[in-house]
Amino acid sequence: MIAAPFHAGERALQTLAGSREQMEEFGSRIIRDRMPEQHRAFFAQLPFLMVGSLDAELQPWASALAAPAGFMQSPDAAHLHVGALPAAGDPLAGQLKQGALLGLLGIEPHTRRRNRMNGTVESLDAGGFMVAVQQSFGNCPRYIQAREPVLAPVRGGEPPVQWLDKLDLAAHRLIGSADTLFIATAYPNEVAQGDEADASSHGVDVSHRGGRPGFVRIDGDDTLTVPDFNGNRFFNTLGNLAVHPRAGLLFIDFDSGDLLHLAVTAEIVWNGPEVEAFEGAERLMRFHVTHALRRPAALPLRWGDAALSPHLAGTGQWNTGMRALADGR
């Protein structure tokens, strides 16, 4: 167990939410510096892995790696070997080196299971890399859409990466219809000076967000607004954003395998009419896109139709009135 697993940003948000005392006790029991046996077995059965990384400019990026199930193996409770490497166009390719901080999310959408592991790259080889565990913990299944991935044949050649000066029509269509996104955030060592939390709380995190199709609102060419629903009260993502307001978003085209990576700056809308107007939202996250790249057919997985999470029944949708509120902010 880790005695002080939450950093200053996470603790501040837990205090605002009135959950600090509960999380102090609960977090130290749930967040471990080793992977339990069920987590080790879980990663080994997955055909893909979500990875959060941090570039030299302290910009987080979210990425995905895929290979036949079994490409991840845990030789012991303190390590996970990932038997895959990012393609040249993946932002992760530039960050993957010994000592790099990574956030890992193992997620099995069709069973709505997910487990998190944050750590450091201990070594690399020709086929993959070894991650040493810093923090390991499970996540609740809420807001995960049930869809099952199937490996697709790998095509010859690597489609060119498309850098976007602004979100184009294809990006708007993907984002505007999305029911799922992945978000990478960070608590870099450069931000953590003087924090009494355990050093394992420093680093990168990658997480899942889900909602009804269209839960991400697009304002203009470069601003996205996303409702934040009730969660586990750890505030890993929002705690990072509170002290380091930058994030990496990843949208997946589940039909084609296209990946859309976004580098964004972030702000949290704590309250007000916009929040109140969206049923189920406790707050909003607003993202301003600074960089975007599209990687066509980069993920060799295809999914069938999704069964939306039953927890979405109590959540709202964007409407014209909410857009008017946003325009008047």
Side-chain angles (χ1 to χ4, degrees):
M1 295 186 294
I2 301 172
F6 297 115
H7 63 64
E10 294 165 330
R11 296 194 305 271
L13 266 67
Q14 291 165 7
T15 299
L16 280 175
S19 62
R20 177 74 197 109
E21 186 174 329
Q22 177 188 9
M23 289 300 103
E24 177 126 20
E25 177 186 354
F26 185 64
S28 62
R29 289 190 287 111
I30 296 299
I31 299 176
R32 310 171 179 90
D33 62 359
R34 296 288 189 273
M35 288 190 292
E37 188 60 38
Q38 62 174 322
H39 289 198
R40 298 172 66 192
F42 179 68
F43 279 102
Q45 73 190 33
L46 300 177
F48 73 105
L49 174 70
M50 309 309 300
V51 184
S53 62
L54 192 67
D55 70 18
E57 304 301 320
L58 303 185
Q59 172 62 54
W61 291 92
S63 300
L65 298 175
F71 80 102
M72 291 182 282
Q73 294 292 328
S74 173
D76 57 63
H79 293 88
L80 181 70
H81 184 266
V82 180
L85 293 169
D90 189 329
L92 177 61
Q95 281 85 259
L96 193 58
K97 53 191 172 185
Q98 190 169 5
L101 298 167
L102 298 180
L104 306 182
L105 172 66
I107 182 168
E108 191 174 62
H110 61 286
T111 63
R112 296 193 170 101
R113 291 181 63 194
R114 55 177 167 168
N115 290 312
R116 303 254 279 278
M117 195 271 266
N118 302 337
T120 59
V121 177
E122 190 169 89
S123 62
L124 293 96
D125 55 50
F129 54 98
M130 184 75 77
V131 181
V133 178
Q134 286 185 300
Q135 291 191 343
S136 171
F137 55 100
N139 267 166
C140 69
R142 282 180 284 181
Y143 318 121
I144 297 176
Q145 325 314 345
R147 49 166 57 91
E148 187 165 5
V150 176
L151 279 169
V154 178
R155 302 186 310 184
E158 192 69 31
V161 173
Q162 302 169 9
W163 286 90
L164 307 177
D165 294 329
K166 61 181 182 179
L167 298 179
D168 60 13
L169 181 59
H172 277 218
R173 286 173 174 165
L174 177 59
I175 295 169
S177 62
D179 59 36
T180 298
L181 67 84
F182 296 93
I183 176 170
T185 57
Y187 186 65
N189 291 327
E190 292 84 346
V191 176
Q193 301 298 320
D195 191 344
E196 72 269 21
D198 192 280
S200 68
S201 68
H202 306 182
V204 187
D205 181 80
V206 65
S207 186
H208 159 280
R209 287 293 190 275
R212 295 175 185 269
F215 80 115
V216 182
R217 190 182 73 201
I218 306 171
D219 301 314
D221 291 327
D222 64 355
T223 302
L224 310 178
T225 303
V226 183
D228 188 64
F229 304 129
N230 180 272
N232 59 15
R233 300 290 176 177
F234 285 3
F235 292 109
N236 303 120
T237 296
L238 294 185
N240 287 344
L241 293 178
V243 292
H244 186 64
R246 302 171 73 177
L249 308 183
L250 179 65
F251 292 89
I252 300 174
D253 186 319
F254 294 108
D255 294 323
S256 68
D258 290 2
L259 298 179
L260 181 66
H261 303 259
L262 304 180
V264 303
T265 59
E267 59 181 297
I268 303 169
V269 181
W270 296 104
N271 48 47
E274 252 194 301
V275 179
E276 294 167 4
F278 198 109
E279 183 182 4
E282 295 193 337
R283 61 198 68 79
L284 304 176
M285 296 179 290
R286 184 160 287 134
F287 302 116
H288 304 283
V289 180
T290 59
H291 307 289
L293 64 148
R294 182 186 295 113
R295 299 173 56 220
L299 193 64
L301 295 171
R302 303 295 181 268
W303 281 262
D305 294 335
L308 296 182
S309 168
H311 292 279
L312 295 175
T315 64
Q317 294 178 300
W318 295 115
N319 58 41
T320 304
M322 292 185 197
R323 291 183 183 278
L325 287 170
D327 292 340
R329 65 180 179 270

